[in-house]
């Protein structure tokens, strides 16, 4: 057999190779290898990723090194900046509770933890009370130095944290430095926002929690807060020194000595058959030396005669009880209360003077114990409010103006705008306050019964809410109020926040009292 030439044999072998083999063969021999294209992330995705790295790194930096230990007055404290959606300042005084101030609005919150009290400085204040006069300036100077130190340290912590995390994630020094620069920019912007929104008057409206919830009654009555603000500041300072004794001995905070020139009104509403409410009310009456209790309705749940026995503790609460009917209270309920000693039932615009204040009210025009809504309910409430407003104007014409109006539904209460300085209501199961267009202040109380059995219907139990209203005995004008919020069913938290009307803030221009339009014919209701 003839031999196949070597050149032909090699050509046949090349032809029989598979296309994949040929492709691989020529790729390996090609002097220019193929370049694989890697998909690049979208610019917005890169930006969001960088922001996430910056925020996480800054937060980690603040957690690790972003705090300052500094003395403030007689206390050794730790100041920390924390990310926050609401801003403000929180002062933790363990184990007494916390004090929150609405000091600024920025995405950072200042936390001040009282670590311990310096025995020497604290004892010096206790032994030499005259030094309290300069305590405010000393505390302000300490806080200023501590805040400046905290700002520098927080800046370093934020930049270092963001840069380190950026380097770990991107492994590129340029991207890491960009993360650090962005973190510093965000911190500077937050600091500028805090400075621009700084509110030094926030100390006038603090929110207390824990054992400090009794602090509003310790720092004086409403009249002294308005007219003697310097005394109020000194009493706040004195409260700080009292903490020393609380650490050393097991005792309660100093007893509140009521000022006889201040009328204290306890506003409750929507008890809804919660028996625990009576003990809470009695405790508030004793603690705040309450002169009169005002209940704006829905004391009952179904208004049946079988529920009437629930009302018996009202006679032993230690203060006169002013009451109006709510939509869960029946005429049976009203008649039962009318027969009780020391209870003043207001209806049909009747007015009574109790504890130096003149009250007038109107019972809820609807009775809906099943929580149903009848057609025309809004119009019915507005008509009831209009009737109450007419009675208020009649009393003014008769020379007996009303100081406080009471009606259950806020929609009805809005109809008395301009006819009375203050109107109290409930029904909504949460607290609200507003000054209406004609100058009347509307104060809506929360549920002092924590919504009763309805407390278990939601994910979290409703809080138990009440308010202490402070009135000047001479002018009978509202001077301040304390909002009290207790944890609902099964909870043990407590918060008390003090509020002042805008016209009573230092430097504010007094707001004139609403001047009701006189009606030509006075009401025939008995005083």
């Amino acid at each position: 057999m003839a031999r196949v030439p070597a050149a032909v044999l090699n050509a046949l072998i090349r032809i029989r190779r598979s296309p994949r083999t040929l492709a691989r063969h020529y790729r390996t021999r090609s002097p220019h290898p193929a370049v694989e294209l890697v998909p690049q992330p979208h610019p917005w995705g890169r930006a969001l990723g960088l922001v996430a790295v910056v925020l996480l790194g800054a937060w980690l930096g603040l957690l690790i090194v972003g705090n300052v230990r500094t003395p403030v007055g007689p206390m050794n404290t730790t100041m920390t900046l924390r990310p926050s959606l609401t801003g403000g300042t929180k002062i933790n005084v363990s184990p007494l509770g916390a004090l929150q101030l609405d000091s600024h609005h920025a995405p950072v919150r200042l936390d001040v933890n009282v670590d311990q009290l310096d025995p020497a400085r604290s004892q010096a204040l206790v032994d030499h009370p005259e030094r309290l006069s300069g305590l405010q300036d000393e505390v302000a100077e300490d806080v200023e130095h501590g805040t400046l130190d905290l700002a520098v340290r927080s800046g370093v912590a934020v930049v270092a944290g963001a840069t380190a995390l950026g380097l770990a994630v991107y492994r590129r020094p340029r991207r890491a430095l960009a993360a650090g620069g962005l973190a510093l920019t965000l911190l500077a912007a937050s600091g500028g926002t805090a400075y621009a929104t700084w509110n030094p008057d926030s100390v006038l409206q603090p929110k207390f929690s824990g054992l400090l919830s009794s602090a509003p009654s310790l720092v004086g009555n409403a009249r002294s807060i308005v007219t003697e603000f310097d005394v109020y500041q000194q009493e706040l300072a004195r409260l700080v020194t009292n903490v020393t004794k609380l650490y050393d001995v097991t005792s309660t905070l100093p007893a509140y000595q009521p000022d006889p020139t201040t009328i204290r009104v306890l506003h409750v509403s929507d008890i809804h058959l919660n028996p625990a409410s009576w003990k809470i009310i009695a405790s508030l009456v004793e603690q705040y030396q309450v002169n009169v209790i005002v209940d704006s309705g829905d004391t009952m749940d179904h208004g049946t005669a079988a529920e009437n026995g629930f009302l018996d503790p009202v006679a032993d609460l230690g203060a006169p009880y002013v009451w109006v009917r709510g939509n869960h209270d029946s005429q049976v309920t009203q008649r039962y209360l009318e027969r009780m000693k020391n209870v003043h039932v207001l209806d049909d615009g009747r007015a009574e003077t109790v504890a130096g204040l003149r009250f007038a009210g109107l019972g809820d025009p609807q009775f809906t114990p099943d929580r149903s809504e009848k057609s025309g309910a809004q119009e019915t409430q507005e008509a009831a409010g209009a009737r109450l407003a007419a009675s208020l104007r009649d009393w003014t014409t008769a020379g007996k103006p009303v100081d406080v109006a009471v009606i259950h539904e806020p929609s009805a209460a809005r109809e008395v705008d301009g006819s009375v300085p203050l109107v109290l209501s409930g029904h909504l199961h949460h607290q609200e306050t507003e000054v209406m267009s004609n100058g009347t202040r509307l104060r809506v109380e929360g549920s002092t019964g924590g919504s009763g059995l309805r407390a278990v219907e939601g994910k979290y139990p409703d809080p138990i809410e009440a308010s202490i209203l402070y009135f000047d005995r001479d002018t009978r004008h509202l001077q301040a109020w304390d909002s009290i919020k207790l944890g609902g069913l099964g909870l043990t938290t407590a918060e008390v926040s003090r509020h002042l009307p805008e016209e009573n803030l230092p430097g504010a221009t007094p707001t004139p009292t609403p001047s009701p339009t006189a009606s030509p014919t006075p009401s025939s209701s008995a005083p």
Side-chain angles (χ1 to χ4, degrees):
M1 179 179 293
R3 295 178 62 185
V4 178
V8 176
L9 183 61
N10 290 335
L12 291 174
I13 292 174
R14 286 195 299 270
I15 293 173
R16 293 184 60 186
R17 286 177 177 174
S18 65
R20 179 178 301 176
T21 304
L22 290 173
R24 186 168 58 249
H25 172 74
Y26 284 106
R27 277 201 305 269
T28 58
R29 294 174 62 86
S30 174
H32 303 288
V35 178
E36 295 185 4
L37 298 177
V38 179
Q40 296 296 320
H42 193 277
W44 284 107
R46 291 199 302 269
L48 290 176
L50 180 62
V51 171
V53 169
V54 168
L55 294 178
L56 181 58
W59 180 65
L60 291 174
L62 287 176
L63 286 180
I64 297 172
V65 296
N67 59 69
V68 170
R69 295 183 182 276
T70 182
V72 176
M75 303 173 293
N76 294 323
T77 68
T78 300
M79 294 185 177
T80 311
L81 286 181
R82 290 282 183 257
S84 172
L85 296 178
T86 57
T89 299
K90 183 177 182 181
I91 304 173
N92 297 304
V93 188
S94 179
L96 300 178
L99 171 66
Q100 291 181 320
L101 303 176
D102 189 18
S103 58
H104 63 277
H105 299 283
V108 289
R109 184 186 72 196
L110 176 61
D111 283 0
V112 181
N113 294 316
V114 178
D115 300 325
Q116 62 181 6
L117 292 157
D118 184 271
R121 285 177 286 161
S122 301
Q123 191 62 42
L125 284 174
V126 174
D127 296 338
H128 302 281
E130 67 275 6
R131 297 184 182 181
L132 287 170
S133 59
L135 181 59
Q136 179 186 347
D137 295 334
E138 178 186 348
V139 169
E141 185 177 354
D142 291 341
V143 171
E144 182 179 354
H145 288 307
T147 304
L148 181 60
D149 190 8
L150 178 62
V152 174
R153 182 168 299 199
S154 297
V156 174
V158 163
V159 172
T163 303
L165 186 60
L167 188 60
V169 172
Y170 296 112
R171 302 182 184 276
R172 297 178 183 177
R174 182 176 297 180
R175 296 297 295 275
L177 291 176
L182 180 57
L184 183 60
T185 302
L186 292 177
L187 181 63
S190 300
T193 304
Y195 180 79
T197 59
W198 180 253
N199 177 23
D201 292 334
S202 59
V203 69
L204 289 174
Q205 302 188 47
K207 178 182 289 186
F208 301 90
S209 61
L211 289 178
L212 289 180
S213 59
S214 59
S217 62
L218 295 175
V219 294
N221 62 83
R223 192 178 203 182
S224 66
I225 292 173
V226 175
T227 61
E228 300 176 285
F229 181 59
D230 57 333
V231 177
Y232 173 54
Q233 290 178 316
Q234 292 176 13
E235 289 303 312
L236 277 176
R238 193 181 299 274
L239 177 62
V240 173
T241 65
N242 286 334
V243 177
T244 305
K245 300 177 183 179
L246 286 169
Y247 272 87
D248 295 335
V249 297
T250 55
S251 62
T252 60
L253 292 172
Y256 171 51
Q257 298 297 327
D259 188 330
T261 64
T262 301
I263 303 174
R264 294 163 302 283
V265 176
L266 172 59
H267 183 200
V268 302
S269 189
D270 296 86
I271 293 175
H272 286 290
L273 283 181
N274 187 345
S277 299
W278 300 130
K279 292 183 179 180
I280 294 172
I281 292 173
S283 176
L284 292 174
V285 168
E286 180 180 1
Q287 178 182 354
Y288 285 89
Q289 295 296 301
V290 167
N291 300 106
V292 56
I293 306 167
V294 176
D295 186 341
S296 50
D298 274 5
T299 313
M300 312 297 265
D301 222 2
H302 298 89
T304 62
E307 297 172 287
N308 285 343
F310 170 76
L311 300 169
D312 291 343
V314 170
D316 301 319
L317 292 177
Y321 202 85
V322 176
W323 183 85
V324 295
R325 190 177 66 251
N327 60 294
H328 283 258
D329 304 316
S330 66
Q331 291 288 347
V332 173
T333 305
Q334 179 162 318
R335 287 192 292 270
Y336 190 83
L337 280 169
E338 286 173 339
R339 293 193 296 267
M340 294 183 67
K341 184 181 179 180
N342 218 22
V343 175
H344 305 266
V345 175
L346 304 179
D347 200 3
D348 299 324
R350 286 196 303 269
E352 293 191 36
T353 300
V354 184
L357 292 174
R358 193 161 177 80
F359 299 89
L362 186 73
D364 197 292
Q366 297 200 58
F367 178 53
T368 54
D370 57 354
R371 289 183 280 176
S372 62
E373 291 190 6
K374 299 179 180 179
S375 58
Q378 183 71 20
E379 293 77 5
T380 302
Q381 294 293 344
E382 292 175 355
R387 292 200 306 273
L388 178 57
S391 297
L392 295 173
R393 291 191 293 268
D394 291 347
W395 285 117
T396 301
T397 303
K400 300 177 180 179
V402 171
D403 303 310
V404 182
V406 189
I407 193 168
H408 181 66
E409 272 265 11
S411 57
R414 295 181 185 280
E415 298 300 314
V416 306
D417 185 17
S419 302
V420 68
L422 175 67
V423 57
L424 304 179
S425 67
H427 186 67
L428 300 182
H429 290 206
H430 64 264
Q431 295 178 338
E432 290 184 5
T433 301
E434 69 170 289
V435 178
M436 295 182 285
S437 57
N438 292 324
T440 295
R441 183 178 297 274
L442 169 61
R443 173 70 185 160
V444 181
E445 190 53 76
S447 174
T448 311
S451 300
L453 293 178
R454 297 181 184 84
V456 300
E457 293 180 354
K459 183 177 181 181
Y460 300 103
D462 292 341
I464 294 172
E465 296 180 304
S467 298
I468 303 292
L469 311 177
Y470 300 93
F471 292 83
D472 186 279
R473 187 174 294 275
D474 297 330
T475 65
R476 302 191 300 279
H477 289 167
L478 179 66
Q479 297 293 298
W481 69 92
D482 291 338
S483 297
I484 300 168
K485 182 182 294 186
L486 306 176
L489 190 64
L491 302 180
T492 57
T493 58
E495 288 184 356
V496 179
S497 54
R498 171 152 290 175
H499 306 270
L500 275 74
E502 295 78 4
E503 62 270 18
N504 286 345
L505 292 172
T509 302
T511 302
T513 304
S515 300
T517 304
S519 177
T521 306
S523 170
S524 58
S525 302

